[in-house]
Amino acid sequence: DGDLKFSLESVKKLKELMDENRHINPRMVVSSYSPCDEKDLPEEFQSVCKREDASMIFERLSLAVQEGDLCEICANAACAGCV
């Protein structure tokens, strides 16, 4: 995301955490949720939590792994700039 780089596995874990939270109570406004509150948030995202634009970064990363096939292709060394 911009000049930030994260492992594919960590981004998948982030998406999993965000999706679980959305399914708990779909009637709640999701804007109050922050992955930073999750105890299982991968360590490499801790620096993102200190940023004002953290929610936007997390949302973009989650969207980046929506298309699984594309993301798996991007995990290859030939496509280093995807996530």
Side-chain angles (χ1 to χ4, degrees), residues 17-29:
L17 292 171
M18 292 176 74
D19 286 351
E20 283 175 8
N21 184 270
R22 287 185 181 129
H23 293 306
I24 290 171
N25 190 347
R27 294 181 191 164
M28 284 184 66
V29 178

Side-chain angles (χ1 to χ4, degrees), residues 10 23-24 49 55 67 83:
S10 291
H23 293 306
I24 290 171
C49 290
S55 62
E67 183 60 52
V83 176

